[in-house]
Each structure stands twice: as C-alpha cells, then as structure tokens.
Amino acid sequence: MSVFTPGLVHTPVTPFTTDLKIDYSRYEQLLEFHLAQGAQSLAITMHAGESVSLTDQEQRAQFAFATKQVNGRVPLLAHVSDSGTTIALERAQYAESIGMQAVICTTPYYWTPPAPMILEHFLQVSQAVKLPFFVFYSPDEMGGITLSTDLILKLVDQRPNFSGMIDASLDWQFMINIISNVWRKKPEFQLLSGNEYMVSAGAIGATSMLSGLGAIAPKLIKELYTICRTEKYVQARQAQENVAALLFLITQYGFGGLKSAMYAMGRDCGIPRPPHDALSPSQHQTLSQSLHALPFMSKEPQGW
C-alpha cells in the first residue's frame, strides 16, 4: 500500500499589503522561494500563516492560488481547522476538490469540548474526504486541550484515512506511548514533528517535519532534516543547537518576530493582522542585529 509521507514541510506565512489584504503577488514570490529552497511539501495555511485571522473565503482562495501556482511540483497539505465542525469539513472537501493532497486538522478553536466530541469532530472531518488525514497536536496553542491515547486509537479504528499525528507538544513520553500503541494496529501510521526539534522527534520515529523557520534559514532547516532522516542524530546536534538558538531569538519577540526576521533577511511579507502586533522600529533593529550576529546565518539566502 502506498503511504503518503510529506517529508520536509514548509509552512508559509501569509503576506499582507499595507491595508492588510492578502498580497498575492508577494505570495507567489514566497511560494517559489520555498520550492527553490528544498521544501518537499507545503502546508497551506498553518498558524504561522495566521489562519485564524483569515476568513473562510480567504483560506479557500489561498488553497486555490497555491494549487495553481505550485502546479503539482510538491504535495500541498490543507490546514482546515476551525471552531465549527461543519466549517472545517466543508473546507476539507473544497481542498480535495481542487487537488490538494492531504488534510490537517486540530481540536476546535475556542471551545473546550469533552473527549467524545473531540473524537466526533475528527471523525466528521476525516469522513468528509478520502485524502490522508493528519491530526495536529499543539495543546499550548489550543487552550490546553489534550488528546489521549484512547481517543487516537478509536480514530485509528474508525477512519482508514487517519494517516498520522503532527506533534508540537514536545511531550515525548506521551508521543512514545501513542506511537507504540498505534503501530500495533497500523504500522504505516506516521509521526510528524510539528516544529523544528527533529532530533528528539526523529529518535522516536518521526518521518516528516513542519517548519516555519524555512522562511528564514532554509539551508539550516534542510541540513537538520536531512541528517535526521539518516538517523545520525549525533551528527545532527550542531544543526539542532543552531535551530534552537534561532527559535529562542525569534520567540522572544512574540508572533511578530517571524515576519520581522523575514524582513531582516530581505523577504518582506508585511506585518501581522491584529490582534497580533508588529514589532516597533527599535525592536526590529535589535532583532535584525541579533539575527545577523548568529554565525550560521551568513550561509543563508538574502532576499528572494
């Protein structure tokens, strides 16, 4: 049986014009940048792309634009998460109808439903399509909602297209428990790292990695992923430490740090939509100076 493995997945931001409309001219440029820099798949549009600040119509328009622009060169994963089950499943159906290759879904935004309703949410969205279905697990982003091994096993039992979990929890003990139990039922089930800590994720079986930092340091991200896929984790240590240093720098500045760092690297994608704040000029200058002071950043592309 053929198994869809996304590989190194870049998660593009959403570029905005000065009046905070989606800048499709810049989006085209951004997608081409990610493809040129080694992305094996693209996830459209994750939280780094401000999905929760986009309307349903805007998200569908991004799906359509990315599908036309990429034109089959790499797989596209559609992030369809929403607070309403019907909204999410209809967005998933739209993604499938235009030729996207997989669906990503997390727990409902804002609501904190009990476990049976979370399971029902995933069941309904995954039943709406035939595409590979991936659950994105990031409890810190989702108001502390946690998933259980029992819930995941029930989803495996009931949905043949449930293909894997994208983990951004960094709870390795929990993920080992899930993977070791799920693999007894479904050996082809995949673990994907939802962030750039690929050494730890790879050591417990992750086959793919989602990365927002591919917009800033694509060479470093590709190096880390490539080494980890050969399971040479000792050799990957330096790359992982460099990634950790970059993450630490950017996260000090909150959500706006990612786009500010992209601007510092010559890839301006505008500022975030409210309620997220853009960095002040002094903050941006400090971030830019710190970014370029990192020795490994001298190897990264400047501009588009």
Side-chain angles (χ1 to χ4, degrees):
M1 183 179 68
S2 177
V3 176
F4 172 62
T5 302
L8 176 55
V9 186
H10 284 205
T11 59
V13 302
T14 298
F16 294 123
T17 59
T18 54
D19 58 355
L20 296 179
K21 295 180 180 178
I22 298 176
D23 186 341
Y24 282 105
S25 176
R26 186 52 52 87
Y27 194 44
E28 175 182 343
Q29 199 171 21
L30 178 64
L31 294 175
E32 291 299 325
F33 173 83
H34 284 297
L35 294 179
Q37 295 299 326
Q40 297 174 345
S41 298
L42 297 175
I44 313 294
T45 296
M46 299 301 293
H47 296 135
E50 301 178 65
S51 59
V52 293
S53 296
L54 301 173
T55 66
D56 181 61
Q57 183 179 9
E58 286 175 321
Q59 291 183 64
R60 292 182 184 223
Q62 277 193 309
F63 289 175
F65 185 91
T67 300
K68 182 178 180 180
Q69 181 65 33
V70 173
N71 194 27
R73 285 176 286 173
V74 300
L76 297 179
L77 292 77
H79 179 222
V80 303
S81 302
D82 211 286
S83 55
T85 301
T86 302
I87 300 171
L89 73 82
E90 289 180 351
R91 193 177 295 146
Q93 290 173 327
Y94 177 75
E96 183 174 51
S97 73
I98 63 172
M100 301 184 83
Q101 282 74 37
V103 165
I104 298 172
C105 188
T106 190
T107 53
Y109 300 135
Y110 182 75
W111 310 117
T112 55
M117 292 311 298
I118 293 176
L119 175 61
E120 183 63 23
H121 178 79
F122 288 144
L123 286 173
Q124 289 193 32
V125 177
S126 60
Q127 285 169 349
V129 295
K130 296 179 181 178
L131 296 176
F133 178 81
F134 295 93
V135 167
F136 185 82
Y137 185 51
S138 183
D140 288 344
E141 285 187 317
M142 303 309 298
I145 297 178
T146 58
L147 302 178
S148 67
T149 303
D150 180 63
L151 185 150
I152 297 301
L153 291 174
K154 288 178 179 177
L155 192 55
V156 167
D157 286 338
Q158 296 180 56
R159 291 306 309 148
N161 65 331
F162 180 31
S163 299
M165 270 192 84
I166 304 171
D167 175 64
S169 71
L170 302 181
D171 186 344
W172 308 120
Q173 182 176 354
F174 174 65
M175 293 311 302
I176 290 170
N177 186 49
I178 283 185
I179 291 301
S180 61
N181 281 281
V182 170
W183 279 346
R184 295 189 184 100
K185 289 175 171 280
K186 189 173 186 176
E188 68 274 20
F189 188 84
Q190 296 180 70
L191 172 64
L192 292 75
S193 179
N195 48 46
E196 293 87 353
Y197 288 105
M198 187 62 186
V199 168
S200 299
I204 62 174
T207 56
S208 301
M209 179 179 82
L210 274 66
S211 174
L213 293 184
I216 301 169
K219 293 185 182 299
L220 173 61
I221 296 304
K222 185 177 180 180
E223 176 190 7
L224 173 65
Y225 177 75
T226 301
I227 298 173
C228 287
R229 288 301 291 131
T230 65
E231 299 185 1
K232 297 178 180 177
Y233 300 117
V234 174
Q235 290 90 326
R237 178 176 176 177
Q238 186 59 62
Q240 185 68 86
E241 289 179 352
N242 290 344
V243 165
L246 182 57
L247 276 169
F248 180 74
L249 171 62
I250 293 172
T251 54
Q252 288 183 78
Y253 293 87
F255 189 85
L258 179 60
K259 281 188 171 178
S260 181
M262 291 179 67
Y263 181 71
M265 296 301 293
R267 296 184 282 277
D268 182 13
C269 285
I271 63 173
R273 275 183 175 174
H276 291 297
D277 280 337
L279 271 61
S280 68
S282 62
Q283 286 177 317
H284 172 72
Q285 183 178 10
T286 302
L287 185 153
S288 180
Q289 291 173 344
S290 299
L291 182 67
H292 289 291
L294 295 171
F296 53 86
M297 289 302 298
S298 63
K299 301 177 182 179
E300 297 297 336
Q302 185 74 32
W304 298 102

